[in-house]
Amino acid sequence: MANDNYLGNKNLKRSSVNIEWTKELILEYQKCSDDQIYFIKKYCKIVNVDKGLVNFELWKFQEEMIHTFEDNRFSIAKMPRQVGKTTTVAAYLLHKILFNESYRIAILANKDRGAREILSRIQLMFEHLPKWLQQGVLEWNKGNIELENGSKILSSATSSSATRGGSFNLLYLDEFAFVPNNIQDEFFASVYPTITSGQNTKVIITSTPNGMNMFYKIWTDSVNNKNTYSRVSVHWSMIPGRDEKWQKQTIENTSQRQFNQEYNCEFLGSSNTLIDASKLGTIPYADPISKKGSVDKFEEVIPGHTYLISVDTSRGSGIDYSAFIVFDITSVPYRVVAKYRDNEIESLVYPTIIYNVGRHYNYAYVLVEVNDIGQQVADILLHDLEYENVLSTRSKGRAGQNIGGGSGVKYGLGVRTTTQVKRIGCANFKSLVENDKIIINDYDLLYEMFRFIEHNNKYEAEEGEHDDLVMCCVLFSWLVHQEYFKELCDNDARLEVLSSNQKLVEENLIPFGFIDDVWVDPDAIDDTDQQFNKWFNN
Ligand SMILES: Nc1ncnc2c1ncn2[C@@H]1O[C@H](COP(=O)(O)OP(=O)(O)OP(=O)(O)O)[C@@H](O)[C@H]1O
Ligand SMILES: [Mg+2]
């Protein structure tokens, strides 16, 4: 009956068409409604490259995916390429709109085309359903469909404007790890909360890993019980036809690295990272116990512990960040206990923040990088604020620079990041991390570590990324390498430091130690301190 069709499409039923229900049909309809797996296997079609249109015989893990989606509000699937993840979700979504009244779904993919392609798979499945399983069609476009029962699907690229104003029962994010990082962040900050504000909204995220980004964060947070996402993953060998021979061939056609990411589903950072990629993926991070301004605190100060702050300074022009990290150096493993990061701080104000945090952490030693305006920061700290635990270095001047200088030794506040300092610092940071001698804690730092790469024989942030926090660690690691460092960690030995300096002068650059009276009695805390501590602790 032509007039029962939607806009002349004989595969689609228009609205208000009567179905002659028999008892068997009603029972079958009920069964489909109750059992998604039954419905999909019996009535959904997919296109097979060799055989054309075939029944969607779900593989076992695809059935498990559907159970996970159904039983949980939040699901995240980390899966290899080409395992049928998109198709499985498509069939699940079809069931949702057929058997629920006014069910609204948003499909967001990394690209508009991808989102429409998912919708087109649902449309293909729908068109091959018997009419008695269909709902009458009200709208049928490339980007959206609407059915007689009030259910709708909208598809679009993941962006902050994609679903503006809409409220949805189900949000599906496909290939989420491939949405540009800034859009992922923006999406989770602004759109996601409004979409998921309903009590029952479901969220399904599927992707193959793609480095360290929001997808990585949601996955690892779930592993660490920090969110309520249920996880689904599958090993490539569970897909029929994928065996060792297939693996060997695929690696030959791509690379081991690509295979690790796309089929072993490892979260790889940039290639050539300073720290080995397989290590990076295993480093845990923690939520700060408090955030104050731009200071994130991971551990409370412990009386009697020794702390060190390593400081990187930028010009505060909004492009680069000024950053510092507070390390607990009392014992190995060293621990990141607080960090500061800000791209607007003026270099004249910056020392006061270091000063306050330093005093808070038992008058931490401060190592300032003095290549640029860091010099000013070190000077203000020591001379204007009279913070005495600022470390100095002495360096043998380059030939020619110290003629007539007698000893050939120069003294200076802070440390200058020469090629040598950076080389030693990088090598040592790598070994500290890879041997679990440093606890990283901070997500932003870990993020930078994923993007700190070798380029033209030196290590730096990948294009468009930052390395200010990593550089604090590199400086710190350089310091750890100095023989003098162990004296720093040993309270009793602190006063012997100056006398033991003689042999260290042989080295190119060594930390010189402190000006007299380095150790300030923590009992002698004045009002300002108490005020700061109150602010910082609350
Ligand atoms: N159970 C199944 N039986 C037969 N073929 C299947 C099955 N599941 C998926 N396929 C087919 O496998 C191919 C890949 O499916 P799909 O695009 O859903 O995978 P994907 O994991 O989303 O892939 P990609 O990583 O490229 O996004 C498609 O041709 C699909 O029809
Ligand atoms: Mg897909």
Side-chain angles (χ1 to χ4, degrees), residues 78-83 85 175 178 207-211 234-236 239 242 246 250 253-268:
K78 172 171 76 92
M79 298 199 153
R81 294 288 326 279
Q82 285 288 301
V83 297
K85 48 190 176 303
E175 295 300 2
F178 293 84
S207 195
T208 299
N210 182 30
V234 60
H235 194 256
W236 54 261
I239 292 96
R242 297 198 181 167
W246 169 88
T250 310
N253 291 338
T254 56
S255 67
Q256 183 66 49
R257 189 183 151 77
Q258 198 175 342
F259 190 86
N260 286 349
Q261 173 151 298
E262 295 190 350
Y263 295 98
N264 283 334
C265 289
E266 288 178 12
F267 287 105
L268 301 185

Side-chain angles (χ1 to χ4, degrees), residues 81-87 117-118 121 172 174-175 206:
R81 294 288 326 279
Q82 285 288 301
V83 297
K85 48 190 176 303
T86 306
T87 314
E117 201 266 328
I118 302 169
R121 287 190 215 191
Y172 173 39
D174 191 27
E175 295 300 2
T206 58

Side-chain angles (χ1 to χ4, degrees), residues 305-336:
H305 274 213
T306 311
Y307 296 91
L308 186 132
I309 303 181
S310 119
V311 179
D312 189 53
T313 312
S314 89
R315 290 183 169 269
S317 54
I319 301 164
D320 283 328
Y321 285 83
S322 284
F324 64 76
I325 293 182
V326 187
F327 298 91
D328 185 330
I329 57 169
T330 317
S331 59
V332 181
Y334 309 115
R335 296 191 311 279
V336 172

Side-chain angles (χ1 to χ4, degrees), residues 170-190:
L170 191 153
L171 171 65
Y172 173 39
L173 300 171
D174 191 27
E175 295 300 2
F176 190 63
F178 293 84
V179 173
N181 289 353
N182 57 337
I183 298 180
Q184 287 186 19
D185 295 346
E186 200 179 298
F187 180 81
F188 264 84
S190 62

